[in-house]
Amino acid sequence: NAHSGLSASRLGYAKEKMSENGPWGKVLTIDTMNPTVKKVEYAVRGPIVQRAVQIEKELREGVKKPFAEVIKANIGDAHAMGQQPITFFRQVLAMCSYPELLNDSSFPEDAKHRARRILQSCGGSSLGAYSASQGIDCVLQDVARYIERRDGGIPCNPENVYLTTGASDGIMTMLKLLVCGEDEGRTGVMISIPQYPLYSAALAELGAVQINYYLNEDKCWSMDLSELKRSLKEARRHCNPRALCIINPGNPTGQVQSRDCIEDVIRFAAKERLLLMADEVYQDNVYAEGCEFHSFKKVLFEMGPEYSDSVELVSFHSTSKCYMGECGFRGGYMEIINMDPEVKAQLNKLVSVRLCPPVPGQALMGLVVNPPQPGEPSYINFIKERSATLSALAEKARLTEEILNTVPGISCNPVQGAMYSFPRTRCLMTFLVFLLQENDQAPDMFYCMRLLEETGICLVPGSGFGQKDGTYHFRMTILPPMDKLKVLLTKVKEFHQRFTNQYS
């Protein structure tokens, strides 16, 4: 019997599936798909956000709710939150997209000059042509000069710069190069906890080993050298740790790492032979007094040849954050330091497979690193718009910390940089935690879902980013307009007090 060994119920199920999917069934099913994809999770667009979208639809259809709108503070999408684009950037991009505008007298000459320069570097003088796989040549040159200026004159070779589809594309590309081996020889990658879920998702997709090191919440989410050592020692028992990822300024935690901390990390990487991946996409987003952004490359080279000649470093930047907030253009770059020439050849091959990053995003990256200069027609307005955006973010960072720390049961570290706070909630009582875990529901997911249903506020539970066992957090962006941010913070405060009264 061809079906011997199959239970009657299983055989019936197989026939049912066959009738649904045709005589042969589906080639690709949940059982036959790539198993690593099923392990991928991405909290900032997860179940809370999906429910928020449903609620918005219900509101449009006239369903009565205890609120009039959903306020989304789940993702760092500045323009979706009302932040205005930088005029100069959009002027140049408009002319690049529609070159007839170069004849329009209402556009300033410096914007026209940038547009012509970009178009002259494009095939057929069109933004619609493929670029070289590594990126548009003049933009690569501009990125290199930007890095040199930022880092006080430390040289940057354009051949070591790669334009990318946002920073995430570069991060994913580097992880593809890194991951190899099997069982205890499988590549391990150290990531901070809390972390941005891109990292855990990418490692799951590639079948790599995620190595957690915990940031110190009691010291404003700083990195702790003893914690790095602990994490690495434990990981070496079951995998081959090869890389260390750092997000500075931090996401979701909003901290800005000190120069001393960065030096410690570089010494640690040199001693333990780890490749450093520095995610620096928030480098302009520094608000707290006494805090300053230090690029890993600058610190590395100022530590001298003992480190700058040997430590492998890849750093990443993007058009999506800082004062630009141009997430949709998907522009970014990465710079490689001390990469083996044979590996670099393989990297070139890998990026050539994807043809090129979006050319409009490349053009925008070129403008970010080569903005209007003193004396040019657009300079004063550019400085005014950039300063206004960063000042507003600094004020929102201060307000968020201030208000959340007035709520009994919530503690919020200073938002030193980036675009997020990661407050801790201390009201999730032991019996409630036990009950929810018995039902396979994360307590902070329950908290955030209740918050959404009762107030229309969309935040992300801390479990989506990782947190120490027994602690519960949520991540919120500071991007909503000031009036909506005040509403959001007031509603969070009122909800938290109700929630505490109900479950204490």
Side-chain angles (χ1 to χ4, degrees):
N1 186 330
H3 300 297
S4 60
L6 282 176
S7 69
S9 62
R10 182 64 182 162
L11 180 57
Y13 174 75
K15 287 180 178 177
E16 181 183 323
K17 294 297 286 184
M18 186 175 291
S19 65
E20 285 178 11
N21 301 327
W24 304 107
K26 298 286 189 186
V27 171
L28 183 62
T29 69
I30 196 69
D31 295 322
T32 62
M33 68 176 286
N34 182 343
T36 63
V37 173
K38 290 188 280 187
K39 298 177 183 177
V40 172
E41 295 182 0
Y42 192 64
V44 296
R45 293 181 185 263
I48 295 277
V49 185
Q50 292 164 18
R51 177 58 186 144
V53 171
Q54 290 176 346
I55 290 174
E56 285 181 316
K57 183 172 182 288
E58 290 169 8
L59 285 170
R60 288 194 299 270
E61 293 170 349
V63 177
K64 296 297 182 185
K65 302 281 183 184
F67 47 86
E69 65 172 336
V70 173
I71 301 178
K72 292 179 180 175
N74 61 292
I75 194 166
D77 190 349
H79 289 195
M81 293 286 102
Q83 182 175 308
Q84 295 302 299
I86 299 295
T87 301
F88 179 81
F89 294 165
R90 290 298 183 90
Q91 287 176 329
V92 178
L93 291 169
M95 288 185 283
C96 287
S97 298
Y98 190 58
E100 287 189 30
L101 292 175
L102 287 162
N103 301 317
D104 189 325
S105 60
S106 66
F107 286 83
E109 284 303 316
D110 52 344
K112 290 181 178 181
H113 171 72
R114 297 293 201 288
R116 290 190 187 100
R117 183 168 176 265
I118 291 167
L119 289 172
Q120 286 166 6
S121 293
C122 294
S125 295
S126 173
L127 218 57
Y130 288 128
S131 75
S133 296
Q134 196 164 338
I136 299 170
D137 183 64
C138 74
V139 176
L140 294 170
Q141 297 283 342
D142 287 346
V143 169
R145 300 295 81 78
Y146 161 80
I147 293 171
E148 288 180 354
R149 290 193 307 273
R150 182 197 68 186
D151 294 341
I154 294 166
C156 176
N157 185 344
E159 292 183 6
N160 291 333
V161 176
Y162 292 76
L163 300 183
T164 57
T165 307
S168 55
D169 171 46
I171 291 164
M172 195 72 185
T173 299
M174 285 308 305
L175 291 174
K176 285 179 183 176
L177 285 175
L178 270 164
V179 175
C180 63
E182 296 179 358
D183 301 325
E184 292 183 357
R186 190 68 174 160
T187 293
V189 178
M190 300 179 70
I191 65 172
S192 61
I193 298 296
Q195 53 103 26
Y196 176 52
L198 163 68
Y199 291 91
S200 55
L203 296 175
E205 182 180 342
L206 294 169
V209 178
Q210 175 179 319
I211 304 170
N212 296 338
Y213 66 89
Y214 290 92
L215 300 176
N216 190 333
E217 184 171 10
D218 294 333
K219 295 183 178 179
C220 209
W221 300 111
S222 63
M223 292 180 71
D224 189 320
L225 191 58
S226 62
E227 170 61 13
L228 289 177
K229 292 176 179 177
R230 177 208 64 78
S231 173
L232 183 67
K233 183 178 179 181
E234 288 186 9
R236 281 186 167 145
R237 297 172 184 164
H238 59 87
C239 69
N240 178 23
R242 305 183 70 207
L244 168 59
C245 299
I246 305 99
I247 309 173
N248 181 50
N251 177 8
T253 42
Q255 85 287 357
V256 179
Q257 302 295 1
S258 69
R259 184 192 170 93
D260 288 345
C261 170
I262 293 171
E263 288 186 6
D264 285 343
V265 170
I266 289 171
R267 292 189 192 97
F268 174 77
K271 179 181 178 182
E272 303 295 348
R273 296 189 67 246
L274 295 170
L275 181 146
L276 283 173
M277 295 176 62
D279 181 337
E280 298 175 333
V281 303
Y282 298 98
Q283 55 190 259
D284 290 327
N285 296 109
V286 178
Y287 317 121
E289 190 174 340
C291 289
E292 182 181 354
F293 170 73
H294 302 277
S295 79
F296 265 79
K297 182 187 178 182
K298 184 174 190 286
V299 176
L300 175 67
F301 277 79
E302 289 180 348
M303 289 173 70
E306 177 186 357
Y307 298 98
S308 61
D309 289 349
S310 60
V311 173
E312 295 157 83
L313 169 68
V314 188
S315 55
F316 307 90
H317 195 18
S318 167
T319 64
S320 299
K321 309 301 176 184
C322 296
Y323 63 92
M324 305 83 71
E326 295 278 15
C327 303
F329 278 94
R330 310 306 300 129
Y333 74 74
M334 65 179 180
E335 183 192 11
I336 59 173
I337 305 292
N338 293 321
M339 179 175 279
D340 183 294
E342 292 183 335
V343 175
K344 189 171 186 289
Q346 295 298 314
L347 171 60
N348 291 339
K349 178 182 70 177
L350 194 57
V351 299
S352 70
V353 171
R354 55 119 201 245
L355 297 178
C356 69
V359 175
Q362 295 186 52
L364 177 59
M365 191 79 252
L367 300 173
V368 169
V369 299
N370 185 22
Q373 299 302 306
E376 291 185 326
S378 303
Y379 177 72
I380 292 175
N381 189 58
F382 167 75
I383 292 298
K384 180 181 177 182
E385 290 181 337
R386 183 180 69 179
S387 298
T389 299
L390 292 174
S391 295
L393 287 169
E395 177 61 17
K396 291 174 189 178
R398 183 199 61 76
L399 183 74
T400 299
E401 175 200 349
E402 181 181 290
I403 292 180
L404 288 176
N405 279 324
T406 67
V407 185
I410 291 182
S411 58
C412 179
N413 271 319
V415 183
Q416 297 176 328
M419 298 174 172
Y420 316 96
S421 65
F422 198 66
R424 184 171 176 179
T425 60
R426 301 176 184 272
C427 68
L428 291 165
M429 309 304 290
T430 303
F431 83 90
L432 175 62
V433 170
F434 176 78
L435 177 66
L436 292 168
Q437 289 175 341
E438 284 290 297
N439 290 285
D440 198 29
Q441 184 176 8
D444 48 6
M445 173 65 82
F446 176 78
Y447 179 95
C448 288
M449 192 65 81
R450 284 284 303 273
L451 175 70
L452 174 63
E453 297 286 356
E454 292 183 24
T455 70
I457 303 298
C458 180
L459 307 180
V460 189
S463 51
F465 301 88
Q467 53 198 348
K468 279 193 172 181
D469 287 347
T471 68
Y472 303 98
H473 301 78
F474 58 81
R475 189 192 80 160
M476 59 166 283
T477 75
I478 61 170
L479 290 171
M482 184 62 81
D483 57 341
K484 285 193 178 182
L485 182 64
K486 289 178 179 177
V487 169
L488 183 157
L489 292 168
T490 300
K491 286 190 172 186
V492 168
K493 181 175 182 176
E494 293 170 351
F495 167 81
H496 187 84
Q497 291 166 341
R498 289 197 306 273
F499 189 92
T500 302
N501 291 336
Q502 184 173 356
Y503 290 104
S504 63

